[in-house]
Every structure is written in C-alpha cells, then in structure tokens.
Amino acid sequence: MPAIADRSSSPFKAMLTAKSCELAGSGGCCPPQKRRLRSDTAAAAKESPVSTPMKLKSPRRRLDSSPSSPANRVKKDPSGKTLKKCWNPRDVEQIRAVKEAVHVSTAPSTVVCREDEQKRVLDFCKACVQQEKAGSLYVCGCPGTGKSLSMELVKQQVIDWAKMEGLQPPEVLAMNCTSLANTSVIFSKILGMHQPKKKSIGSASPLQHLQNLYSSKQAQSSSKMMLIIADELDYLITRDRAVLHDLFMLTTFPFSRCILIGIANSIDLADRFLPRLQSLNCKPMVVTFRAYSKDQILSILQERLLVLPYIVFHQQALELCARKVAAASGDMRKALSVCRSVVEILEAELRESASNTGLTSAEGDFVSPQTALAHEVFPSQENNTVRIDHMALALSKTFRSPIVDTIQSLPQHQQIILCSAVKYFRGGKKDTTVGELNKSYIDICKSALIPPVGILEFSSMCRVLNDQGLFKLGQSRDDKFKRVTLKVDEADISFALQGVRLFRNCLQ
C-alpha cells in the first residue's frame, strides 16, 4: 500500500526550506527559522528588499482594488485621449442627470445646426437698431425645429451687440400669444412698454394710441427701439384677420420704433393672411427653419450628452433614433422625448432583472456567491448602456399608430377577419365580397383548429369593423354580396398582430 505523504516527508521539508530561504533573502539553504517577535519581523521587513506578503482582502475589495476593474480602468481612444466611463443606471443621481440632460425644457448652452438662420435674424435686427428703422420678420418652420430657442439666443445677442457698439439697446417684449386672454391684448402690452406709468385716457383703444404715437415725430425722439417677439403668432388669426394685420402694420408708420419678429409653424401665413402688406410693399422678411436632418439630430443629441461625465447611449442607438425621427417629422422635441422614454425602459428592465436575480439561474443550476458578486461588481457595458434594442422599443411606442391599439384590443375572431383580409388582398385585389372573405376566414380558423362563426355573426362582425373605420362595406340587399375594402394599412395590421404566433404564421 503506498505511503501517504505527511508534513515530515521530504517534499514538504523542501518547500518549507525554500520558503525560509526566500524570506531571509539568501541564495543558499537556511537553518530552520526560530520563532520571532513582532518587532523583529518589522525590522527584518525594513532591511529586506522583498516586501512581506499582503493580507488577503474580501472578494469585493479585491475586485474593487484591481487595476483592471471597470471603476479603475482608464479607457483611451486610439489618439490617446481619455474616454468617458460607463454610467451606473442604478444610481438615482445619475438617472436624474441623464433625464434632465435630454428634457425638452432644459435649454442647451449652445444652439447647434441653426447658425445660418440665427445669423440672418441677427443681421436684420442689427440693421434696424443701427438705422433706427422699424421692420418686420416672420420666422416659420415645422414644430420642434429650434425657432423659439434660436430667438431667445438672438434676443440676448442683439442686446450685447448694442452695448458693445455704444448704441442704445432696444426694449424687449417677448410673449407667447397663446397666453393672451384676448387677441387684442397684445396692443395693450406694447403700449405699456412705451408708457409704463401712463393710463389710457378717453375712449381710444390701445391700438389707436399706438397708431397716433407712431404717426408723430415725438415718438422717434423720446422712445427707444422696441424688439417685439411674438411666438405662436397664428393664435392671433381671427375671422377678419384684423389683429394680425394691424400688428404688422405698426411697423409701417413713419415714426414707428418697432422691430417685430413673429414665430409660427405655418410657412405661407404671410401670403395667406397678410395680402395687403404685400400690396403696400411692406411684406415681412421670411426666415424658414427646415426640419432637422438625421445628422443634425444626431449632433444635437451628442451635444446635449456632452455635459454628462459618462457614456449612456450606444452610438448605434442614437443613430437609430436620429434616423427614425428625421424620417417621421424632423421634430427635435420628439427625439428628446424618445431618449427620455428609452432611459425609463432601461430603468424598468434593470429593476425587473434585480427582482428576478437570485442564487439560482433560469435553468435551476446553483450560482455561487462569488459568481453573483462578480456580476454585481463587473456590470458589463452592454447591460448598462442604452442598446439599439431598447431604442427600437421606445421608437415603436412613440410612433405607433392609434390604429394599432384599436386592432390589438379587438376580439380574437375580428382579428382573424382582419388577418384573412390582409392575406386575401395580397394578391393585388382591392376589394371583395363578404362571402369570399368568409371563405378565407374559415380557412385560417381550420388551420388554427378554432371553430369559425356562422355567416350571420361574420357579417355582424364586419359591420363592427366598418363602424371602427377598419373596413368599408358597400350596399347590398344580401350581406354576402356586400363589397369589402380594407381602409387601414396592411403594415399596421401586421405590426399589431405580430406578437401572436397564429397571426404571425398566417401573415408571413
């Protein structure tokens, strides 16, 4: 029977002898070590060039202190610049900072991708202030294209420029026309800027006071230039268009001091509602803010995220958001809303995964505490950052048609009827009869082993779909011969029913 090696055997002695030699720092073998005092050990450590072994730390502290850990690893790009670290979505403060950075109401430090439009408006205001001449300008463009934000920036730039040039800065009256109790209140606000302490005397209206003021030479010598910025200008459109017309006409009086900038979404507002101004050769200058392109949306998102010291979004996720929003509307507010929504999706996903995480895996295998600790300490960048699948989910929720919600709320047999209609019309036909559609419906029910309804109930369900705007039914004495036309896009039906295997197989 082979002997079992013990601590007195030669291999163990050799190991102990080598360890003793290493601690003493000598090259040859050493006699067995005597017991040393703690003070002697400390003195020997100072004299020895080899440091004493460090105390073992707990697994968490060892991982945290590792130079290759995510917290301590310094990331650099090929040019040698230090890159941002990955964020921790479990940190409440970081979540709050990210949501604030992409909030619509958060004004960015710089307004990018609108430099040309801002320059045109600024040059117009400079010319009016320099020449002390009234003028009107109309800023138009789709919602969310940076009109109001750019005008806020231009307003401050005009004041700063006038002070630098030694000119008298204009008085500024900025308002949102939707906040006015009455459309004609705007004239009271303008008059109040000219005469803040005076009350209107007599029966004359504020508009008449302004017209008299701008008709006399005294106005030019006694008052400063006034910059009026009227946002949501189309709110002032009345039935006779008088308020809007009178507002722009204030800039045509010989001694007017008004620089009027109107902001609205309608591109042809000046042509449709102010024809008389064109006949008087007083048509306002027009600056159009076009919808943002994919590259512009991406640049603005990246500019907003620069304030954060960590990486939140994958580049591909931002590109997908920019591409989808640019194709749909070019509305920057919609892109910011999607970014906030996708952060909330990631937050909910992490909460769900945290509640489902235990010491047993999905397959039932045991997960050691060390493995669970490693997952906690080494959260991968893939799990922490907003991925492209998160962004796709947020985009589908944002841009989903209301028709999709209607289709998904229908009873099963009505969904089968829609599915049979899509399948039937794929052959190039635009309409069919209720009887022919019933045959397609029965085929799908048989393939899914679902009992079909009778022809009377089928006709009744077609009428329900007609009332909901999904079908268009023609007129006929016999329900079987009524013509059926699909009134919604096939893609909406496919998207709404793709989550159910039955319909997914039928529509493939």
Side-chain angles (χ1 to χ4, degrees), residues 267-292:
I267 294 176
D268 58 346
L269 181 142
D271 295 329
R272 288 188 296 128
F273 299 108
L274 303 172
R276 283 179 58 192
L277 293 182
Q278 190 169 5
S279 63
L280 295 172
N281 199 22
C282 300
K283 185 179 177 182
M285 174 182 170
V286 179
V287 176
T288 304
F289 281 62
R290 300 190 180 279
Y292 285 114

Side-chain angles (χ1 to χ4, degrees), residues 215-401:
S215 300
S216 63
K217 193 172 183 180
Q218 183 183 359
Q220 192 169 14
S221 58
S222 61
S223 62
K224 296 195 292 186
M225 296 292 293
M226 180 184 295
L227 176 60
I228 303 171
I229 301 177
D231 203 353
E232 304 292 348
L233 190 69
D234 43 5
Y235 180 77
L236 299 179
I237 298 175
T238 53
R239 182 172 296 179
D240 58 357
R241 305 166 190 173
V243 174
L244 195 64
H245 182 269
D246 291 336
L247 178 63
F248 276 90
M249 282 298 292
L250 288 178
T251 63
T252 65
F253 283 85
F255 304 108
S256 175
R257 311 285 286 170
C258 287
I259 307 170
L260 175 63
I261 299 179
I263 308 171
N265 298 330
S266 178
I267 294 176
D268 58 346
L269 181 142
D271 295 329
R272 288 188 296 128
F273 299 108
L274 303 172
R276 283 179 58 192
L277 293 182
Q278 190 169 5
S279 63
L280 295 172
N281 199 22
C282 300
K283 185 179 177 182
M285 174 182 170
V286 179
V287 176
T288 304
F289 281 62
R290 300 190 180 279
Y292 285 114
S293 66
K294 188 242 330 174
D295 294 334
Q296 289 175 328
I297 293 175
L298 184 60
S299 298
I300 295 171
L301 290 176
Q302 290 171 338
E303 183 74 22
R304 279 182 172 255
L305 295 172
L306 280 178
V307 300
L308 302 174
Y310 31 77
I311 301 171
V312 180
F313 295 85
H314 272 283
Q315 182 67 17
Q316 293 88 344
L318 286 178
E319 290 176 358
L320 176 63
C321 175
R323 190 162 55 248
K324 176 65 178 177
V325 173
S329 61
D331 188 342
M332 192 62 218
R333 293 178 299 188
K334 187 72 72 176
L336 293 173
S337 175
V338 171
C339 288
R340 278 181 62 87
S341 175
V342 77
V343 171
E344 292 169 357
I345 289 173
L346 176 61
E347 196 179 3
E349 180 185 276
L350 291 174
R351 277 199 304 266
E352 184 179 356
S353 64
S355 63
N356 295 335
T357 301
L359 294 180
T360 54
S361 64
E363 291 80 9
D365 298 331
F366 180 75
V367 179
S368 66
Q370 288 84 358
T371 306
L373 179 63
H375 283 297
E376 182 183 350
V377 177
F378 288 116
S380 65
Q381 184 170 345
E382 284 291 322
N383 294 332
N384 277 359
T385 53
V386 174
R387 302 189 305 270
I388 194 167
D389 56 319
H390 295 135
M391 187 63 74
L393 179 59
L395 287 167
S396 67
K397 288 183 177 181
T398 303
F399 290 99
R400 186 165 67 176
S401 169

Side-chain angles (χ1 to χ4, degrees), residues 407-427:
I407 295 171
Q408 289 179 341
S409 64
L410 292 174
Q412 184 185 44
H413 281 276
Q414 293 182 24
Q415 291 177 340
I416 295 175
I417 294 173
L418 286 175
C419 184
S420 61
V422 171
K423 198 170 181 181
Y424 189 88
F425 291 135
R426 276 181 179 171

Side-chain angles (χ1 to χ4, degrees), residues 123-142:
D123 290 344
F124 167 80
C125 294
K126 284 181 179 180
C128 291
V129 172
Q130 223 166 14
Q131 301 170 14
E132 295 189 354
K133 180 182 177 183
S136 59
L137 182 142
Y138 176 58
V139 175
C140 59
C142 298

Side-chain angles (χ1 to χ4, degrees), residues 47-59:
E47 296 172 2
S48 173
V50 182
S51 61
T52 57
M54 294 176 62
K55 290 184 179 180
L56 291 177
K57 299 180 180 179
S58 65

